[in-house]
């Protein structure tokens, strides 16, 4: 399905800067006769996937064990053209923001969507400026996209997980994936209690800190931050890459074979957990190197068994390993 979302320049600035709402015309290429307007009820057995196309307000996705589920919105308007449109296409529940071709102003809290979804379905939600919240335990896959709005989710598992926000925070609880986990934000913080993936984990922020309690990735992890710190309390990954152009790196390594960490302007602090041994090469343009018990072999510092190979560099900032 192709979608065209036209927004006047003044409306965009108003929505993003003053919070007055989305101003524009919404086009969705669908047969309107197949859609139900306003509150929608459906059978959990009838769908395998949910697609949400939203503009402003909020999106709350809630997993439910009920056989009969609902899609509702709190709407501060009586106009039918303002109301959501829902349908089931094949085995996919599709939810649209409003009537096709509708032009008007939509205030930030004007349309508050709540979607009940069955356990084990795939969820794909896209939003222009609405906050997206996910409350679930087990889903097939999760994709959450917000152009200007935060994304939050509690503890859940899925085959694959992808979230991105152009301007907003991403906040996650304990997220487990049988595949990969990808978390991106252009301007906002990324935080998670636990990220655990059978394959890889990738997190990236252009402007904002990255903070993760526990990170476990069986095939490796990559964390990149242009402007902001990176802090991970406990890491288990065979290959690890952490980079920040301007910010501090704090990493606790519990299990790792190869790690590369670099900071353009900021310190790097590494804690070797659970008796992890390490062979360290380090380079700092302007900063001290502090370390715990180790011995020097050529240009490498050997900690314990030396099993994990670590390369650390800073242009301006100290390095500390213990």
């Amino acid at each position: 399905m192709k979608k065209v979302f036209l927004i006047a320049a003044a409306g965009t600035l108003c929505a993003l800067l003053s919070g007055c709402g989305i101003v524009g015309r919404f086009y969705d290429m669908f047969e309107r006769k197949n859609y139900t307007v306003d509150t929608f009820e459906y059978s959990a057995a009838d769908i395998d996937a949910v697609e949400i196309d939203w503009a402003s307000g909020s999106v709350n996705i809630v997993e439910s064990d009920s056989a009969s589920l609902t899609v509702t919105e709190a709407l501060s308007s009586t106009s039918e053209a303002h109301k959501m449109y829902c349908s089931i296409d094949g085995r996919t529940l599709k939810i649209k923001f409003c009537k096709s071709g509708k032009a008007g102003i939509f205030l930030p809290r004007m349309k508050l969507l709540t979607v009940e979804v069955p356990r084990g379905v795939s969820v794909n939600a896209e939003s222009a400026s609405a906050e997206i919240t996910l409350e679930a335990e087990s889903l097939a896959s999760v994709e959450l996209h917000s152009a200007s709005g935060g994304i939050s989710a509690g503890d859940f598992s899925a085959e694959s997980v992808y979230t991105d926000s152009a301007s907003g925070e991403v906040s996650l609880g304990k997220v487990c994936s049988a595949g990969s986990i990808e978390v991106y934000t252009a301007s906002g913080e990324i935080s998670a209690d636990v990220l655990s993936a059978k394959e890889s984990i990738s997190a990236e922020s252009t402007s904002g800190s990255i903070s993760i309690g526990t990170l476990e990735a069986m095939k490796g992890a990559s964390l990149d931050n242009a402007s902001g710190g990176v802090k991970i309390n406990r890491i288990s990954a065979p290959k690890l890459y952490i980079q920040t152009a301007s910010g501090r790196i704090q990493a606790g390594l519990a299990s790792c074979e190869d790690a590369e960490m670099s900071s353009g302007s900021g310190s790097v602090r590494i804690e070797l957990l659970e008796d992890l041994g390490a062979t360290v090469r380090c380079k700092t343009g302007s900063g001290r190197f502090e370390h715990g018990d180790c011995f020097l072999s050529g240009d490498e510092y050997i900690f314990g068994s030396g099993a994990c190979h670590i390369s650390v560099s800073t242009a301006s900032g100290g390095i500390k390993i213990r």
Side-chain angles (χ1 to χ4, degrees):
M1 180 197 72
K2 293 185 177 180
K3 178 184 66 174
V4 179
F5 179 27
L6 304 177
I7 304 178
T12 303
L13 290 175
C14 183
L16 298 180
L17 300 180
S18 70
C20 74
I22 295 291
V23 182
R25 185 177 293 274
F26 301 82
Y27 290 96
D28 289 292
M29 309 309 178
F30 61 85
E31 292 293 333
R32 229 172 293 162
K33 63 184 180 181
N34 295 329
Y35 275 68
T36 298
V37 181
D38 206 5
T39 299
F40 185 72
E41 296 183 7
Y42 71 97
S43 173
D46 290 341
I47 71 164
D48 297 321
V50 177
E51 293 181 1
I52 302 169
D53 193 353
W54 212 249
S56 65
S58 66
V59 176
N60 187 25
I61 304 164
V62 183
E63 183 183 302
S64 173
D65 293 330
S66 298
S68 179
L69 303 174
T70 61
V71 182
T72 59
E73 68 173 342
L75 176 65
S76 57
S77 171
T78 57
S79 170
E80 183 172 300
H82 285 157
K83 295 178 180 179
M84 67 177 177
Y85 277 58
C86 302
S87 76
I88 293 181
D89 183 4
R91 294 189 59 80
T92 300
L93 170 62
K94 295 186 176 183
I95 303 165
K96 307 296 180 183
F97 182 69
C98 65
K99 182 179 180 179
S100 180
K102 171 62 186 173
I105 297 175
F106 295 88
L107 299 176
R109 306 299 293 176
M110 184 175 175
K111 289 170 68 69
L112 311 181
L113 175 69
T114 300
V115 184
E116 294 181 340
V117 301
R119 183 182 182 91
V121 299
S122 296
V123 172
N124 187 323
E126 296 188 18
S127 161
S129 67
E131 301 282 332
I132 299 176
T133 303
L134 175 66
E135 301 174 42
E137 292 184 5
S138 179
L139 298 170
S141 64
V142 173
E143 287 191 34
L144 306 176
H145 313 265
S146 180
S148 175
I151 295 173
S152 63
D155 301 350
F156 72 93
S157 63
E159 291 294 319
S160 62
V161 178
Y162 181 98
T163 70
D164 70 68
S165 175
S167 177
E169 297 182 3
V170 178
S171 177
L172 306 172
K174 181 179 180 180
V175 179
C176 301
S177 173
S180 61
I181 298 174
E182 298 176 76
V183 184
Y184 304 106
T185 177
S187 177
E189 297 182 356
I190 294 173
S191 63
D193 295 334
V194 177
L195 296 182
S196 178
K198 297 293 185 183
E199 295 185 4
S200 61
I201 293 175
S202 177
E204 183 176 330
S205 174
T206 302
S207 176
S209 64
I210 298 175
S211 179
I212 301 170
T214 298
L215 185 150
E216 300 170 341
M218 293 186 68
K219 292 188 176 180
S222 174
L223 300 102
D224 198 338
N225 199 342
S227 178
V230 176
K231 180 180 180 181
I232 310 173
N233 294 337
R234 187 182 185 280
I235 302 170
S236 295
K239 296 184 181 299
L240 176 67
Y241 175 82
I242 302 177
Q243 175 180 283
T244 175
S246 175
R248 183 182 184 186
I249 296 175
Q250 296 174 265
L253 298 181
S255 174
C256 188
E257 297 173 7
D258 293 285
E260 180 181 347
M261 304 183 199
S262 64
S263 175
S265 176
S267 62
V268 177
R269 179 173 179 174
I270 301 172
E271 186 172 359
L272 302 175
L273 306 175
E274 301 176 14
D275 296 323
L276 178 68
T279 299
V280 180
R281 288 174 176 263
C282 63
K283 180 180 180 181
T284 176
S286 174
R288 297 175 57 190
F289 175 47
E290 301 178 53
H291 56 82
D293 292 338
C294 65
F295 66 89
L296 185 61
S297 176
D299 59 353
E300 297 178 332
Y301 294 85
I302 313 299
F303 295 78
S305 66
C308 177
H309 293 267
I310 303 174
S311 174
V312 189
S313 63
T314 67
S316 176
I319 298 173
K320 185 174 183 178
I321 303 175
R322 62 175 186 176

